[in-house]
Amino acid sequence: MKITKATIHSVRFPLKEPFIISYATYPDMPGIILKLETDIGLTGFGEAVPDEHVTGEQVDAMFEVLKNVLIPRIIGRSPFDIEEIHHQMDAAISHNPAAKAAIDIACYDLMGKAAGHPVYNLIGGRAHDTLQYPKVLSIEAPEIMVEKAKLAQTQNFSSLKLKVGRDDAALDIACIYAVREAVGKDMPIRIDVNQGWQTVGIAVQTINRLEGANLTWIEQPIRMGDIRGLAEVRRKVSTPIMVDESMQSMRDVLEIIRLNAADYINIKLMKTGGIYKAVQIAKAAEAAGVIAQIGSMVESSIGSAAGYHAVMSRKNIQTAELTGPLLFAEEIGNLLYEPPNVKLSGKPGLGIDIDEQQLKKLTKKSAIIEGGNQINDH
Protein backbone atom coordinates (compact mmCIF):
# COMPACT_ATOMS: atom_id res chain seq x y z
CA MET A 1 0.00 0.00 0.00
CA LYS A 2 1.39 3.38 -1.06
CA ILE A 3 0.16 6.93 -0.52
CA THR A 4 -0.66 8.33 -3.94
CA LYS A 5 -2.67 11.50 -3.36
CA ALA A 6 -3.20 14.17 -0.70
CA THR A 7 -5.91 16.79 -0.37
CA ILE A 8 -5.33 19.65 2.07
CA HIS A 9 -8.34 21.57 3.38
CA SER A 10 -7.89 24.83 5.29
CA VAL A 11 -11.03 25.09 7.41
CA ARG A 12 -12.66 27.21 10.09
CA PHE A 13 -14.97 25.51 12.55
CA PRO A 14 -17.65 27.84 13.95
CA LEU A 15 -17.95 27.69 17.74
CA LYS A 16 -21.19 27.71 19.70
CA GLU A 17 -19.69 30.51 21.81
CA PRO A 18 -16.21 32.10 22.02
CA PHE A 19 -13.55 29.96 23.68
CA ILE A 20 -11.62 32.12 26.16
CA ILE A 21 -8.31 31.25 27.84
CA SER A 22 -5.68 33.43 29.49
CA TYR A 23 -3.78 34.39 26.34
CA ALA A 24 -6.44 34.40 23.60
CA THR A 25 -10.12 34.47 22.68
CA TYR A 26 -11.23 32.28 19.78
CA PRO A 27 -14.47 33.21 17.96
CA ASP A 28 -13.95 30.19 15.68
CA MET A 29 -11.30 27.51 15.32
CA PRO A 30 -8.97 27.43 12.29
CA GLY A 31 -7.35 24.19 11.23
CA ILE A 32 -6.24 21.84 8.49
CA ILE A 33 -8.00 18.62 7.47
CA LEU A 34 -5.79 16.27 5.46
CA LYS A 35 -7.09 13.46 3.27
CA LEU A 36 -4.60 10.81 2.11
CA GLU A 37 -5.50 8.29 -0.61
CA THR A 38 -3.69 5.09 -1.51
CA ASP A 39 -3.13 2.81 -4.48
CA ILE A 40 -5.49 0.19 -2.98
CA GLY A 41 -8.43 2.57 -2.60
CA LEU A 42 -8.18 3.31 1.12
CA THR A 43 -8.57 6.84 2.46
CA GLY A 44 -7.20 8.22 5.72
CA PHE A 45 -7.92 11.53 7.45
CA GLY A 46 -5.69 13.66 9.66
CA GLU A 47 -5.99 17.03 11.33
CA ALA A 48 -3.76 19.93 12.38
CA VAL A 49 -4.86 22.73 14.70
CA PRO A 50 -2.28 25.50 15.12
CA ASP A 51 -1.61 27.62 18.18
CA GLU A 52 0.89 30.38 17.47
CA HIS A 53 1.19 31.02 21.21
CA VAL A 54 2.41 27.46 21.88
CA THR A 55 3.95 25.81 18.80
CA GLY A 56 4.45 28.99 16.75
CA GLU A 57 2.26 27.70 13.91
CA GLN A 58 -0.35 29.65 11.96
CA VAL A 59 -2.95 28.11 9.70
CA ASP A 60 -1.94 29.70 6.37
CA ALA A 61 1.74 28.95 6.93
CA MET A 62 0.87 25.39 7.96
CA PHE A 63 -1.07 24.96 4.71
CA GLU A 64 2.03 25.94 2.73
CA VAL A 65 4.36 23.74 4.83
CA LEU A 66 2.16 20.73 4.18
CA LYS A 67 1.73 21.49 0.48
CA ASN A 68 5.32 22.35 -0.40
CA VAL A 69 7.51 20.63 2.21
CA LEU A 70 5.92 17.68 3.99
CA ILE A 71 3.45 16.07 1.56
CA PRO A 72 6.07 15.68 -1.22
CA ARG A 73 8.18 13.70 1.27
CA ILE A 74 5.48 11.10 1.95
CA ILE A 75 3.84 10.59 -1.46
CA GLY A 76 4.77 7.09 -2.65
CA ARG A 77 5.49 5.78 0.84
CA SER A 78 3.63 3.16 2.84
CA PRO A 79 1.77 4.62 5.85
CA PHE A 80 3.10 1.63 7.84
CA ASP A 81 6.60 3.11 7.56
CA ILE A 82 5.72 5.60 10.29
CA GLU A 83 9.26 5.76 11.75
CA GLU A 84 10.70 6.65 8.34
CA ILE A 85 7.87 9.11 7.66
CA HIS A 86 8.66 10.99 10.87
CA HIS A 87 12.37 10.90 10.03
CA GLN A 88 11.64 12.37 6.61
CA MET A 89 9.38 15.07 8.03
CA ASP A 90 11.92 16.07 10.70
CA ALA A 91 14.69 16.15 8.09
CA ALA A 92 12.58 18.37 5.84
CA ILE A 93 11.74 21.01 8.46
CA SER A 94 12.25 21.50 12.18
CA HIS A 95 9.39 22.00 14.64
CA ASN A 96 5.94 22.43 12.94
CA PRO A 97 4.47 19.62 15.10
CA ALA A 98 0.79 20.23 14.29
CA ALA A 99 1.45 20.04 10.54
CA LYS A 100 3.31 16.76 11.10
CA ALA A 101 0.48 15.50 13.30
CA ALA A 102 -1.95 15.77 10.39
CA ILE A 103 0.17 13.35 8.37
CA ASP A 104 0.80 11.05 11.34
CA ILE A 105 -2.92 10.78 12.18
CA ALA A 106 -3.92 10.13 8.56
CA CYS A 107 -1.26 7.41 8.32
CA TYR A 108 -2.59 5.68 11.45
CA ASP A 109 -6.12 5.90 10.05
CA LEU A 110 -4.85 4.17 6.89
CA MET A 111 -2.90 1.55 8.86
CA GLY A 112 -5.94 0.66 10.92
CA LYS A 113 -8.17 0.39 7.88
CA ALA A 114 -5.64 -1.77 6.04
CA ALA A 115 -5.21 -4.06 9.05
CA GLY A 116 -8.92 -4.16 9.87
CA HIS A 117 -8.30 -2.89 13.43
CA PRO A 118 -8.95 0.28 15.41
CA VAL A 119 -5.83 2.40 15.82
CA TYR A 120 -5.49 1.58 19.52
CA ASN A 121 -4.91 -2.09 18.62
CA LEU A 122 -1.82 -1.02 16.65
CA ILE A 123 -0.22 0.89 19.54
CA GLY A 124 -0.92 -1.16 22.65
CA GLY A 125 -4.47 -2.47 22.59
CA ARG A 126 -7.31 -1.74 24.93
CA ALA A 127 -5.84 -0.61 28.26
CA HIS A 128 -8.98 1.09 29.68
CA ASP A 129 -12.59 0.01 30.05
CA THR A 130 -13.99 3.54 29.66
CA LEU A 131 -12.76 6.92 28.43
CA GLN A 132 -13.97 9.93 30.40
CA TYR A 133 -13.64 13.66 29.85
CA PRO A 134 -14.36 16.68 32.08
CA LYS A 135 -16.66 19.59 31.50
CA VAL A 136 -14.31 22.39 30.39
CA LEU A 137 -15.31 25.95 31.29
CA SER A 138 -13.54 28.84 29.56
CA ILE A 139 -12.88 32.12 31.33
CA GLU A 140 -16.07 34.06 31.99
CA ALA A 141 -17.57 36.08 34.82
CA PRO A 142 -17.49 34.03 38.05
CA GLU A 143 -21.29 33.89 38.32
CA ILE A 144 -21.55 32.47 34.79
CA MET A 145 -18.88 29.84 35.49
CA VAL A 146 -20.74 28.88 38.69
CA GLU A 147 -24.00 28.36 36.79
CA LYS A 148 -22.27 26.33 34.07
CA ALA A 149 -20.56 24.19 36.70
CA LYS A 150 -23.88 23.46 38.40
CA LEU A 151 -25.42 22.61 35.03
CA ALA A 152 -22.56 20.18 34.30
CA GLN A 153 -23.47 18.25 37.44
CA THR A 154 -27.02 17.77 36.18
CA GLN A 155 -25.61 16.59 32.83
CA ASN A 156 -23.77 13.67 34.48
CA PHE A 157 -20.24 15.07 34.20
CA SER A 158 -17.95 13.55 36.81
CA SER A 159 -15.28 16.29 36.87
CA LEU A 160 -14.68 19.94 35.96
CA LYS A 161 -11.82 21.82 34.34
CA LEU A 162 -11.78 25.57 34.91
CA LYS A 163 -9.82 27.91 32.66
CA VAL A 164 -8.28 30.69 34.73
CA GLY A 165 -5.22 32.96 34.47
CA ARG A 166 -6.74 36.42 34.59
CA ASP A 167 -4.53 39.46 35.16
CA ASP A 168 -6.20 39.68 38.56
CA ALA A 169 -5.24 36.48 40.40
CA ALA A 170 -7.55 37.42 43.27
CA LEU A 171 -10.51 37.17 40.88
CA ASP A 172 -9.31 33.70 39.85
CA ILE A 173 -9.20 32.68 43.51
CA ALA A 174 -12.69 34.00 44.20
CA CYS A 175 -14.07 32.26 41.09
CA ILE A 176 -12.51 28.89 41.99
CA TYR A 177 -13.84 28.98 45.54
CA ALA A 178 -17.29 30.02 44.28
CA VAL A 179 -17.39 27.04 41.91
CA ARG A 180 -16.20 24.70 44.67
CA GLU A 181 -18.94 25.90 47.00
CA ALA A 182 -21.55 25.53 44.25
CA VAL A 183 -20.70 21.93 43.28
CA GLY A 184 -19.78 20.59 46.72
CA LYS A 185 -16.60 19.10 48.16
CA ASP A 186 -16.64 15.80 46.25
CA MET A 187 -16.71 17.00 42.62
CA PRO A 188 -13.16 16.77 41.22
CA ILE A 189 -11.97 20.15 39.95
CA ARG A 190 -8.78 20.81 38.00
CA ILE A 191 -7.71 24.27 36.86
CA ASP A 192 -5.72 25.39 33.84
CA VAL A 193 -3.86 28.69 34.15
CA ASN A 194 -2.43 28.62 30.59
CA GLN A 195 0.68 30.49 31.82
CA GLY A 196 -1.49 33.31 33.18
CA TRP A 197 0.21 33.74 36.58
CA GLN A 198 3.52 34.23 34.76
CA THR A 199 6.10 34.15 37.57
CA VAL A 200 7.09 31.72 40.31
CA GLY A 201 6.30 34.20 43.07
CA ILE A 202 2.77 35.01 41.90
CA ALA A 203 2.04 31.35 41.18
CA VAL A 204 3.22 30.09 44.57
CA GLN A 205 1.33 32.80 46.45
CA THR A 206 -1.87 32.14 44.48
CA ILE A 207 -1.69 28.34 44.71
CA ASN A 208 -1.12 28.41 48.45
CA ARG A 209 -4.26 30.54 48.81
CA LEU A 210 -6.17 27.80 46.94
CA GLU A 211 -5.34 24.91 49.28
CA GLY A 212 -8.86 24.95 50.70
CA ALA A 213 -10.39 24.45 47.23
CA ASN A 214 -9.29 20.77 47.12
CA LEU A 215 -8.05 20.92 43.52
CA THR A 216 -7.00 17.76 41.66
CA TRP A 217 -4.16 19.63 39.98
CA ILE A 218 -3.07 23.04 38.69
CA GLU A 219 -1.95 23.16 35.07
CA GLN A 220 0.83 25.36 33.64
CA PRO A 221 0.71 28.17 36.22
CA ILE A 222 3.76 30.06 34.85
CA ARG A 223 5.07 31.06 31.43
CA MET A 224 6.07 28.28 29.05
CA GLY A 225 9.69 27.26 28.73
CA ASP A 226 10.59 27.92 32.37
CA ILE A 227 10.86 24.31 33.49
CA ARG A 228 13.28 25.20 36.29
CA GLY A 229 10.73 27.74 37.57
CA LEU A 230 7.97 25.13 37.39
CA ALA A 231 10.12 22.82 39.53
CA GLU A 232 10.46 25.61 42.08
CA VAL A 233 6.68 26.09 42.14
CA ARG A 234 6.18 22.37 42.71
CA ARG A 235 8.62 22.34 45.64
CA LYS A 236 6.77 25.19 47.35
CA VAL A 237 3.14 24.05 47.05
CA SER A 238 1.17 20.96 48.07
CA THR A 239 -1.31 20.87 45.17
CA PRO A 240 -0.10 18.62 42.30
CA ILE A 241 1.27 20.42 39.23
CA MET A 242 0.62 19.56 35.58
CA VAL A 243 2.84 20.85 32.77
CA ASP A 244 1.31 21.66 29.38
CA GLU A 245 2.79 24.39 27.17
CA SER A 246 6.31 23.72 28.49
CA MET A 247 6.12 20.06 27.39
CA GLN A 248 6.28 19.74 23.61
CA SER A 249 8.96 17.16 22.84
CA MET A 250 10.85 14.20 24.26
CA ARG A 251 13.66 16.59 25.17
CA ASP A 252 11.20 18.62 27.26
CA VAL A 253 9.80 15.62 29.10
CA LEU A 254 13.30 14.38 29.95
CA GLU A 255 14.13 17.81 31.40
CA ILE A 256 10.86 17.82 33.38
CA ILE A 257 11.75 14.39 34.77
CA ARG A 258 15.32 15.44 35.59
CA LEU A 259 14.16 18.50 37.53
CA ASN A 260 11.11 16.83 39.14
CA ALA A 261 9.09 19.72 37.73
CA ALA A 262 5.62 18.14 37.53
CA ASP A 263 3.35 15.40 38.82
CA TYR A 264 1.47 15.19 35.51
CA ILE A 265 2.22 15.99 31.87
CA ASN A 266 -0.38 17.09 29.34
CA ILE A 267 0.49 15.49 26.01
CA LYS A 268 -1.18 16.97 22.94
CA LEU A 269 -0.85 15.44 19.50
CA MET A 270 -0.55 18.94 18.05
CA LYS A 271 2.53 19.59 20.21
CA THR A 272 4.27 16.24 19.75
CA GLY A 273 3.70 15.68 16.03
CA GLY A 274 0.99 13.03 16.32
CA ILE A 275 0.25 9.65 17.83
CA TYR A 276 3.66 8.04 17.25
CA LYS A 277 5.67 10.48 19.37
CA ALA A 278 2.87 11.01 21.89
CA VAL A 279 3.01 7.33 22.83
CA GLN A 280 6.80 7.46 23.11
CA ILE A 281 6.56 10.42 25.49
CA ALA A 282 3.92 8.63 27.57
CA LYS A 283 6.25 5.64 27.91
CA ALA A 284 9.12 7.87 29.04
CA ALA A 285 6.87 9.52 31.63
CA GLU A 286 5.72 6.14 32.88
CA ALA A 287 9.31 5.04 33.45
CA ALA A 288 9.80 8.10 35.69
CA GLY A 289 6.55 7.72 37.60
CA VAL A 290 4.92 10.77 35.99
CA ILE A 291 1.25 10.41 35.02
CA ALA A 292 0.16 11.48 31.53
CA GLN A 293 -2.94 13.03 30.03
CA ILE A 294 -3.93 13.61 26.41
CA GLY A 295 -5.18 17.16 25.98
CA SER A 296 -6.74 19.15 23.17
CA MET A 297 -6.05 22.12 20.92
CA VAL A 298 -9.82 22.06 20.20
CA GLU A 299 -9.78 19.57 17.32
CA SER A 300 -12.71 18.09 15.42
CA SER A 301 -13.72 14.43 15.62
CA ILE A 302 -10.60 13.51 13.63
CA GLY A 303 -7.95 14.88 15.97
CA SER A 304 -10.05 14.10 19.04
CA ALA A 305 -10.53 10.46 18.01
CA ALA A 306 -6.79 10.15 17.40
CA GLY A 307 -6.13 11.42 20.91
CA TYR A 308 -8.61 9.01 22.46
CA HIS A 309 -7.00 6.08 20.65
CA ALA A 310 -3.69 7.08 22.25
CA VAL A 311 -5.38 7.24 25.66
CA MET A 312 -6.97 3.84 25.19
CA SER A 313 -3.64 2.22 24.40
CA ARG A 314 -1.64 3.25 27.48
CA LYS A 315 -2.26 2.60 31.19
CA ASN A 316 -0.12 5.58 32.13
CA ILE A 317 -2.35 7.96 30.14
CA GLN A 318 -4.99 8.21 32.82
CA THR A 319 -7.10 11.21 31.74
CA ALA A 320 -8.20 13.00 28.58
CA GLU A 321 -9.63 16.41 27.73
CA LEU A 322 -10.56 16.18 24.06
CA THR A 323 -13.84 18.08 23.87
CA GLY A 324 -13.49 20.10 20.66
CA PRO A 325 -16.46 18.52 18.84
CA LEU A 326 -18.75 19.55 21.69
CA LEU A 327 -17.74 23.20 21.24
CA PHE A 328 -18.39 23.35 17.48
CA ALA A 329 -21.60 24.66 15.97
CA GLU A 330 -20.81 22.57 12.85
CA GLU A 331 -18.74 19.38 12.69
CA ILE A 332 -17.50 16.94 10.05
CA GLY A 333 -17.27 13.69 12.03
CA ASN A 334 -19.32 11.52 14.38
CA LEU A 335 -17.17 10.78 17.42
CA LEU A 336 -19.72 9.74 20.06
CA TYR A 337 -19.92 11.67 23.35
CA GLU A 338 -22.22 10.47 26.14
CA PRO A 339 -21.27 12.51 29.25
CA PRO A 340 -19.01 11.77 31.00
CA ASN A 341 -17.78 9.17 28.51
CA VAL A 342 -16.62 9.19 24.92
CA LYS A 343 -17.12 5.96 22.99
CA LEU A 344 -14.81 4.72 20.27
CA SER A 345 -16.69 2.71 17.68
CA GLY A 346 -14.20 -0.16 17.40
CA LYS A 347 -14.24 0.18 13.61
CA PRO A 348 -10.95 0.06 11.70
CA GLY A 349 -8.73 3.12 11.75
CA LEU A 350 -9.96 6.12 13.69
CA GLY A 351 -13.43 4.57 13.57
CA ILE A 352 -15.29 7.70 12.51
CA ASP A 353 -17.20 8.70 9.40
CA ILE A 354 -16.38 11.99 7.64
CA ASP A 355 -19.10 14.10 6.02
CA GLU A 356 -17.17 15.32 2.99
CA GLN A 357 -19.96 17.66 1.91
CA GLN A 358 -19.76 19.36 5.29
CA LEU A 359 -15.98 19.44 4.97
CA LYS A 360 -16.31 21.15 1.59
CA LYS A 361 -18.71 23.71 3.10
CA LEU A 362 -16.26 24.65 5.87
CA THR A 363 -13.21 24.72 3.58
CA LYS A 364 -11.71 28.16 2.88
CA LYS A 365 -9.04 26.90 0.46
CA SER A 366 -7.67 23.56 -0.64
CA ALA A 367 -4.86 21.95 -2.59
CA ILE A 368 -4.41 18.54 -4.17
CA ILE A 369 -1.01 16.87 -4.52
CA GLU A 370 -0.64 13.71 -6.58
CA GLY A 371 2.52 11.92 -7.59
CA GLY A 372 4.55 14.62 -5.85
CA ASN A 373 3.06 17.36 -8.04
CA GLN A 374 0.47 19.98 -7.13
CA ILE A 375 -2.43 19.51 -9.54
CA ASN A 376 -5.06 21.80 -8.05
CA ASP A 377 -5.15 24.78 -5.71
CA HIS A 378 -8.25 26.86 -4.95
Side-chain angles (χ1 to χ4, degrees), residues 7 32-36 44-48 101-107 109 270 300 302-303 332 350:
T7 306
I32 299 289
I33 302 299
L34 175 65
K35 177 182 177 181
L36 295 182
F45 285 91
E47 181 172 13
I103 291 174
D104 171 280
I105 293 167
C107 285
D109 194 23
M270 299 301 121
S300 75
I302 296 172
I332 59 171
L350 295 176

Side-chain angles (χ1 to χ4, degrees), residues 78-214:
S78 167
F80 282 98
D81 295 336
I82 194 68
E83 167 77 19
E84 179 63 18
I85 285 172
H86 274 278
H87 174 76
Q88 289 293 327
M89 291 194 295
D90 291 342
I93 190 168
S94 64
H95 305 300
N96 291 275
K100 294 171 182 177
I103 291 174
D104 171 280
I105 293 167
C107 285
Y108 273 104
D109 194 23
L110 285 170
M111 284 188 265
K113 289 172 178 174
H117 283 277
V119 167
Y120 59 75
N121 273 356
L122 307 181
I123 55 175
R126 194 178 184 94
H128 301 280
D129 294 327
T130 60
L131 298 172
Q132 292 197 349
Y133 61 96
K135 177 65 177 179
V136 180
L137 302 182
S138 63
I139 297 174
E140 296 185 88
E143 60 271 19
I144 294 175
M145 295 180 74
V146 164
E147 289 306 311
K148 289 186 174 181
K150 290 162 65 177
L151 178 61
Q153 282 187 302
T154 69
Q155 295 171 330
N156 204 36
F157 283 96
S158 57
S159 63
L160 297 173
K161 176 175 181 173
L162 310 183
K163 292 286 189 177
V164 295
R166 299 168 176 87
D167 291 337
D168 183 357
L171 185 56
D172 280 338
I173 292 169
C175 179
I176 292 163
Y177 275 112
V179 171
R180 168 55 73 201
E181 183 178 0
V183 300
K185 62 182 179 65
D186 295 327
M187 182 76 153
I189 298 175
R190 61 194 77 164
I191 68 168
D192 186 0
V193 190
N194 286 118
Q195 312 174 58
W197 295 336
Q198 294 288 320
T199 68
V200 171
I202 295 171
V204 169
Q205 182 183 60
T206 306
I207 293 168
N208 283 334
R209 291 175 64 188
L210 287 168
E211 282 197 6
N214 188 29

Side-chain angles (χ1 to χ4, degrees), residues 331-346:
E331 237 273 68
I332 59 171
N334 61 344
L335 183 60
L336 179 60
Y337 289 86
E338 293 181 350
N341 300 317
V342 67
K343 296 189 176 182
L344 298 177
S345 69

Side-chain angles (χ1 to χ4, degrees), residues 21-329:
I21 59 177
S22 67
Y23 58 73
T25 297
Y26 296 93
D28 58 18
M29 193 56 57
I32 299 289
I33 302 299
L34 175 65
K35 177 182 177 181
L36 295 182
E37 299 176 57
T38 69
D39 57 354
I40 62 171
L42 292 178
T43 298
F45 285 91
E47 181 172 13
V49 176
D51 188 335
E52 60 269 31
H53 305 280
V54 179
T55 67
E57 293 169 286
Q58 189 269 346
V59 69
D60 290 331
M62 189 161 46
F63 184 93
E64 296 300 322
V65 166
L66 279 162
K67 182 177 71 173
N68 297 310
V69 181
L70 295 178
I71 296 297
R73 289 280 188 137
I74 60 107
I75 292 288
R77 296 188 179 276
S78 167
F80 282 98
D81 295 336
I82 194 68
E83 167 77 19
E84 179 63 18
I85 285 172
H86 274 278
H87 174 76
Q88 289 293 327
M89 291 194 295
D90 291 342
I93 190 168
S94 64
H95 305 300
N96 291 275
K100 294 171 182 177
I103 291 174
D104 171 280
I105 293 167
C107 285
Y108 273 104
D109 194 23
L110 285 170
M111 284 188 265
K113 289 172 178 174
H117 283 277
V119 167
Y120 59 75
N121 273 356
L122 307 181
I123 55 175
R126 194 178 184 94
H128 301 280
D129 294 327
T130 60
L131 298 172
Q132 292 197 349
Y133 61 96
K135 177 65 177 179
V136 180
L137 302 182
S138 63
I139 297 174
E140 296 185 88
E143 60 271 19
I144 294 175
M145 295 180 74
V146 164
E147 289 306 311
K148 289 186 174 181
K150 290 162 65 177
L151 178 61
Q153 282 187 302
T154 69
Q155 295 171 330
N156 204 36
F157 283 96
S158 57
S159 63
L160 297 173
K161 176 175 181 173
L162 310 183
K163 292 286 189 177
V164 295
R166 299 168 176 87
D167 291 337
D168 183 357
L171 185 56
D172 280 338
I173 292 169
C175 179
I176 292 163
Y177 275 112
V179 171
R180 168 55 73 201
E181 183 178 0
V183 300
K185 62 182 179 65
D186 295 327
M187 182 76 153
I189 298 175
R190 61 194 77 164
I191 68 168
D192 186 0
V193 190
N194 286 118
Q195 312 174 58
W197 295 336
Q198 294 288 320
T199 68
V200 171
I202 295 171
V204 169
Q205 182 183 60
T206 306
I207 293 168
N208 283 334
R209 291 175 64 188
L210 287 168
E211 282 197 6
N214 188 29
L215 299 174
T216 305
W217 65 68
I218 295 176
E219 184 176 343
Q220 196 65 48
I222 64 173
R223 57 181 174 262
M224 64 181 285
D226 187 4
I227 296 174
R228 189 175 298 276
L230 199 66
E232 185 177 351
V233 172
R234 184 174 181 240
R235 286 195 299 270
K236 293 180 176 179
V237 302
S238 60
T239 305
I241 297 296
M242 173 179 279
V243 59
D244 179 4
E245 288 93 331
S246 290
M247 203 296 299
Q248 302 191 31
S249 67
M250 182 64 80
R251 180 179 298 174
D252 293 331
V253 79
L254 293 177
E255 183 70 357
I256 290 161
I257 291 168
R258 186 180 73 83
L259 295 174
N260 292 314
D263 302 278
Y264 303 88
I265 60 169
N266 192 0
I267 301 169
K268 295 179 179 176
L269 304 191
M270 299 301 121
K271 296 188 302 181
T272 64
I275 295 170
Y276 184 67
K277 292 186 177 180
V279 170
Q280 291 179 332
I281 287 171
K283 290 178 180 178
E286 183 176 27
V290 177
I291 298 169
Q293 167 179 282
I294 297 290
S296 171
M297 293 285 202
V298 193
E299 299 97 336
S300 75
S301 283
I302 296 172
S304 299
Y308 280 115
H309 279 276
V311 178
M312 180 63 83
S313 73
R314 299 297 309 167
K315 279 289 187 186
N316 190 52
I317 306 178
Q318 295 186 6
T319 57
E321 294 176 353
L322 298 135
T323 60
L326 301 176
L327 305 180
F328 294 158

